[in-house]
Amino acid sequence: MTQPRTRRDVFRLAGFSAAGLALAACGVQGQKAAPPKADAVADYWAKQKKNGKVVFANWPEYMPEDKGPLEKFKQDTGIAYEYKEVIQENAEFFGKADPVLRAGQPLGYDIVVMTNGIQLQHMIELGYAVPLDHSKLPNFQANAGQKYKERSYDPGNKYTVPYTSGVTGIAYNTKYVKDEITSIESLFDPKYKGRVGMMADAQEIANFGMIALGIDPEKSTEADWNKAGEKLKAQRDAGIVRKYYDQSYIDAVSKGDVWLTMAWSGDVFQRQLAGEPVKFVVPAEGGTIWTDNMLIPKGAANPVDALMLMDYLYQPAVAAELDEYIQYVTPVPAVQDLLREKAATAKGEDKKALEDMVGSALMFPSESDYAKLRNYTRLTTQQEQVFNPIFQSITQA
């Protein structure tokens, strides 16, 4: 439990590698689907039946090795499962899925997990995600936190329910940084010249550039993107940034190659459990919240079984088992009390790790932290062609 594990050993959030961009850009223009009518959704679900099988496509290391929650689901429902760790990056996955779904063919998966952002937006707008029947999601309705029922990228959870969430904030090595870091402006401070890490991901770095300027990314305009780009370019040109990182940022800050950096909460928490001198903070100006979401892709063979599994994972005991392994932010608030109860009877290192989890704002953000968190900029396909070059010109120069 106390060994650090990297969830995403490849660059994972919005997937802005050159190859990923090329894939994601293919075939998305001019195909926006009309929102489904309520009677059509009801008619679709009325025709579906339980088949006794579900195929779940997920990211690596997002399920306990013993597949405990899935095994319990099988025992309780009689539904067999196939679990496939086939999603390495959102853009890469979408790039492969798009031509298949566009041709009206099934992906072969009943549930897929995708991060909110450009590719998930395409999945929804192109009609590639099946609208959910919320009458079959009683555990979600009863146990999901209200914040996870109010996601702007999918109002009303029409197409998705959260699997897990995380926060993009600032990590710093307390061996080298003696000041308490509280502001995003620390990433722009000349006193840390050559010792600052920034993310290479376009949406991530854009968010921090805009948040530093007091701009809400979700309400931003092209003029705001340019202002943020200018601030980030000045930071780069002043030599403040040592490197624009993918997942490797966490090793860099742990070793002291950089002293402070943009960071993902789960990565930092795992290093803290291992005793490394890395601290995480949500800047006073704000940070970014991202969510990995479960959806049912168009053409899924077993949508009823998929919906049953999605809802099953919202039972507090099941969600607690998942979160103890994943160590990100659970959408089920009751998990914190369950882990606290487990910690009370645990011993040794397991007890310490559980107590650290229960008390960590990286797994259970405070209300004040949530109030400071922002979402990514929502972009049309045309806007992407403007947005991406502004920030890629900084990170790829």
Side-chain angles (χ1 to χ4, degrees):
M1 188 187 303
T2 59
Q3 295 301 311
R5 296 189 306 273
T6 299
R7 293 284 173 276
R8 310 278 177 81
D9 287 328
V10 294
F11 199 33
R12 33 106 37 229
L13 273 178
F16 282 103
S17 63
L21 276 171
L23 288 167
C26 292
V28 298
Q29 296 194 38
Q31 299 181 47
K32 187 173 181 178
K37 297 181 179 179
D39 55 350
V41 174
D43 184 60
Y44 168 83
W45 283 105
K47 295 176 181 178
Q48 307 305 318
K49 62 180 181 179
K50 177 182 172 183
N51 295 322
K53 179 181 179 180
V54 63
V55 183
F56 191 165
N58 208 345
W59 299 77
E61 301 213 39
Y62 250 21
M63 181 67 64
E65 293 176 9
D66 63 1
K67 307 296 187 291
L70 297 178
E71 284 295 321
K72 292 183 179 70
F73 173 73
K74 181 180 177 180
Q75 293 170 11
D76 290 348
T77 65
I79 297 173
Y81 67 87
E82 289 183 45
Y83 185 76
K84 300 177 179 291
E85 295 183 336
V86 295
I87 304 176
Q88 299 285 344
E89 185 194 45
N90 288 293
E92 178 188 38
F93 180 78
F94 179 80
K96 293 177 179 178
D98 178 42
V100 177
L101 294 169
R102 185 157 27 98
Q105 300 298 314
L107 291 179
Y109 311 125
D110 302 308
I111 300 174
V112 299
V113 177
M114 295 183 69
T115 315
N116 65 294
I118 290 173
Q119 285 76 36
L120 179 61
Q121 188 174 332
H122 287 331
M123 288 288 287
I124 293 172
E125 291 182 347
L126 297 177
Y128 294 165
V130 174
L132 304 179
D133 181 353
H134 277 265
S135 71
K136 294 180 171 64
L137 293 170
N139 288 318
F140 171 77
Q141 298 299 341
N143 300 318
Q146 192 59 38
K147 293 178 177 62
Y148 292 92
K149 297 178 181 178
E150 300 173 346
R151 308 319 302 273
S152 61
Y153 55 84
D154 183 20
N157 299 95
K158 185 177 291 185
Y159 299 94
T160 69
V161 290
Y163 187 74
T164 192
S165 279
V167 175
T168 307
I170 298 174
Y172 61 100
N173 190 313
T174 56
K175 180 179 178 180
Y176 300 100
V177 179
K178 301 304 180 182
D179 297 331
E180 182 179 357
I181 300 298
T182 59
S183 172
I184 204 168
E185 285 299 330
S186 296
L187 296 172
F188 299 84
D189 192 334
K191 73 185 286 185
Y192 299 118
K193 182 176 180 179
R195 294 296 183 177
V196 170
M198 299 291 285
M199 289 183 172
D201 178 277
Q203 281 195 299
E204 288 283 22
I205 197 171
N207 261 35
F208 264 46
M210 285 186 275
I211 291 170
L213 293 169
I215 298 166
D216 184 341
E218 278 199 292
K219 300 176 182 178
S220 62
T221 64
E222 183 176 338
D224 295 326
W225 308 339
N226 283 313
K227 290 177 184 176
E230 291 170 3
K231 184 174 181 66
L232 292 163
K233 184 176 182 296
Q235 176 200 37
R236 181 200 66 191
D237 291 348
I240 295 171
V241 179
R242 181 181 180 92
K243 185 178 178 181
Y244 295 93
Y245 288 93
D246 53 21
Q247 184 77 50
S248 60
Y249 79 86
I250 190 63
D251 287 329
V253 71
S254 294
K255 294 175 182 177
D257 294 342
V258 295
W259 294 355
L260 65 166
T261 180
M262 293 178 64
W264 294 316
S265 54
D267 292 339
V268 178
F269 182 66
Q270 291 158 23
R271 298 303 174 107
Q272 290 177 344
L273 285 180
E276 297 184 12
V278 184
K279 189 172 181 179
F280 182 88
V281 62
V282 177
E285 300 90 339
T288 301
I289 186 167
W290 51 265
T291 301
D292 285 344
N293 304 273
M294 295 182 284
L295 63 86
I296 300 173
K298 183 179 179 181
N302 309 295
V304 171
D305 307 79
L307 205 58
M308 290 177 66
L309 176 53
M310 291 161 70
D311 191 56
Y312 188 87
L313 298 178
Y314 274 86
Q315 294 184 56
V318 178
E321 184 177 356
L322 272 178
D323 201 41
E324 183 179 344
Y325 178 78
I326 297 173
Q327 298 169 3
Y328 276 86
V329 181
T330 176
V332 180
V335 164
Q336 189 173 25
D337 285 339
L338 291 179
L339 293 183
R340 184 179 289 113
E341 292 173 9
K342 186 173 181 179
T345 58
K347 296 181 180 180
E349 291 186 0
D350 284 352
K351 183 179 183 68
K352 172 72 163 55
L354 284 164
E355 289 175 343
D356 286 346
M357 291 181 196
V358 170
S360 175
L362 281 65
M363 288 182 64
F364 301 100
S366 66
E367 288 298 317
S368 60
D369 281 343
Y370 270 121
K372 295 187 291 184
L373 298 177
R374 302 289 178 259
N375 291 302
Y376 297 122
T377 306
R378 297 186 65 185
L379 301 168
T380 65
T381 302
Q382 287 184 331
Q383 288 174 326
E384 285 179 59
Q385 311 311 311
V386 177
F387 180 93
N388 292 338
I390 292 172
F391 300 101
Q392 289 171 338
S393 67
I394 297 164
T395 63
Q396 297 177 8

